[in-house]
């Protein structure tokens, strides 16, 4: 009879040979959960196969073994994204925003694939009910809105010419590049030369002669497009989310 599991330590000489341990009933351990007793016994006797009449399963360990902690750990770094890939995506974004803010958005043609590119626009709020030609309302593809399947399909622009036609009709704006938040993810691929890159861009841009600001979030999927532009990549999918227009003086109170 024992009064606690610690008393089993006097059997340490059997640490590498004990196969079956019968512990119960014992006044000092009857109150313990069977799993706790098995784990304690298994820690003391790694070769244990049965505990009372139950199979002694291996303990699940969450601590790294000494052989790992004594080794060389990964070097700390700011990002695990390939720096070459990050450089290409960043340069692409800078150039894209520069051209987008230009009065002639026809220059965006080198950023999209001729047939395989898609563009969709999502906006929420009552102010987006404006359906005039040069507004965002007619192009809103918000899946939570009261739109049927045909309307959702019609509001997805497919192909370079269709996308450019839509972008040219959107209101002129000027991005506030000093407040961008960018995230980049390199998508898994079996090919070494055909890497897909997902780029997330958040920020604000000005409208109406810089008197109004609008928050936006843009997600682009980039794929290799050699010899089409200086970056060597193009947009296969472009999703733009827009917040409501806010006066510059009230922008700090924007939702």
């Amino acid at each position: 009879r024992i009064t606690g599991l610690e008393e089993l330590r006097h059997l340490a000489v059997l640490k590498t040979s004990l196969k079956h341990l019968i512990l119960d009933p014992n006044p000092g351990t009857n109150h313990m959960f069977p799993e706790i007793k098995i784990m304690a016994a298994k820690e003391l006797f790694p070769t244990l196969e049965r505990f009372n009449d139950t199979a002694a399963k291996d303990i699940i360990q969450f601590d790294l073994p000494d052989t790992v902690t004594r080794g060389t750990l990964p070097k700390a770094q700011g990002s695990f994204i390939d720096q070459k890939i990050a450089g290409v995506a960043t340069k692409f974004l800078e150039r894209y925003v520069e051209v987008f803010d230009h009065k002639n958005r026809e220059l965006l043609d080198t950023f999209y694939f001729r047939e395989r590119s898609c563009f969709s626009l999502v906006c929420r709020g009552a102010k987006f009910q404006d359906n005039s030609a040069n507004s965002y309302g007619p192009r809103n593809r918000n899946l939570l809105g009261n739109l049927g399947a045909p309307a959702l399909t019609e509001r997805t622009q497919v192909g370079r010419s269709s996308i450019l036609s839509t972008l040219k009709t959107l209101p002129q704006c000027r991005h506030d590049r000093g407040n961008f938040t960018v995230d980049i993810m390199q998508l898994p691929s079996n090919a070494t030369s055909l890497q897909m890159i997902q780029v997330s861009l958040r920020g604000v841009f000005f409208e109406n002669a810089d008197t109004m600001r609008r928050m936006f979030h843009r997600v682009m999927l980039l794929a290799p497009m050699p010899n089409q532009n200086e970056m060597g990549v193009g947009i296969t999918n472009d999703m733009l989310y827009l917040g409501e227009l806010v006066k510059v003086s009230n922008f700090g109170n924007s939702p």
Side-chain angles (χ1 to χ4, degrees):
R1 292 177 178 273
I2 62 174
T3 58
L5 293 174
E6 63 276 2
E7 294 185 25
L8 292 175
R9 296 186 181 279
H10 75 277
L11 299 176
V13 293
L14 302 175
K15 182 175 182 179
T16 59
S17 59
L18 187 63
K19 302 291 185 180
H20 189 183
L21 176 65
I22 300 176
L23 183 64
D24 296 326
N26 264 289
T29 60
N30 285 341
H31 65 286
M32 297 180 181
F33 288 108
E35 294 82 1
I36 299 296
K37 290 185 283 189
I38 292 175
M39 289 179 62
K42 189 71 174 178
E43 184 176 357
L44 290 173
F45 311 107
T47 59
L48 193 66
E49 296 178 357
R50 296 194 64 79
F51 180 84
N52 293 332
D53 294 326
T54 306
K57 298 181 180 179
D58 290 336
I59 302 173
I60 300 176
Q61 296 282 2
F62 294 95
D63 295 329
L64 291 175
D66 291 341
T67 54
V68 174
T69 57
R70 287 198 303 265
T72 302
L73 296 177
K75 182 180 179 181
Q77 59 188 66
S79 172
F80 287 89
I81 298 293
D82 185 286
Q83 294 304 301
K84 183 178 179 180
I85 297 295
V88 170
T90 302
K91 184 178 180 180
F92 182 91
L93 280 179
E94 292 174 350
R95 180 59 178 156
Y96 183 92
V97 170
E98 178 184 353
V99 176
F100 191 90
D101 289 349
H102 196 275
K103 291 183 179 180
N104 182 15
R105 289 180 180 158
E106 191 73 38
L107 299 174
L108 291 170
D109 63 338
T110 61
F111 291 84
Y112 292 91
F113 287 89
R114 184 179 301 278
E115 298 177 354
R116 296 188 290 118
S117 293
C118 298
F119 170 78
S120 60
L121 172 67
V122 176
C123 39
R124 299 185 65 181
K127 296 180 181 179
F128 289 112
Q129 301 304 316
D130 179 8
N131 287 318
S132 58
N134 292 321
S135 69
Y136 301 105
R139 299 162 185 84
N140 184 10
R141 194 178 179 270
N142 185 2
L143 298 180
L144 298 180
N146 297 321
L147 298 176
L152 291 175
T153 302
E154 293 170 1
R155 297 184 184 192
T156 301
Q157 310 305 318
V158 180
R160 181 188 300 165
S161 60
S162 177
I163 293 173
L164 290 180
S165 178
T166 297
L167 295 180
K168 288 189 294 183
T169 62
L170 299 181
Q172 285 297 132
C173 66
R174 183 179 66 83
H175 287 79
D176 184 1
R177 304 182 197 182
N179 289 302
F180 280 174
T181 300
V182 178
D183 193 14
I184 300 171
M185 181 174 67
Q186 186 175 345
L187 302 184
S189 172
N190 293 327
T192 57
S193 60
L194 298 176
Q195 296 290 340
M196 304 282 282
I197 310 171
Q198 179 176 290
V199 180
S200 173
L201 173 63
R202 290 177 179 268
V204 298
F205 58 73
F206 297 95
E207 289 185 21
N208 299 341
D210 287 1
T211 61
M212 309 289 282
R213 297 177 93 179
R214 190 188 298 278
M215 301 180 67
F216 76 92
H217 179 203
R218 196 160 198 161
V219 179
M220 295 177 173
L221 185 62
L222 308 182
M225 190 167 63
N227 305 321
Q228 184 66 33
N229 56 52
E230 57 184 304
M231 286 71 66
V233 294
I235 302 171
T236 61
N237 193 27
D238 183 5
M239 296 184 292
L240 175 60
Y241 167 81
L242 297 174
E244 293 196 19
L245 202 62
V246 179
K247 288 184 178 181
V248 172
S249 59
N250 297 331
F251 186 72
N253 299 321
S254 175

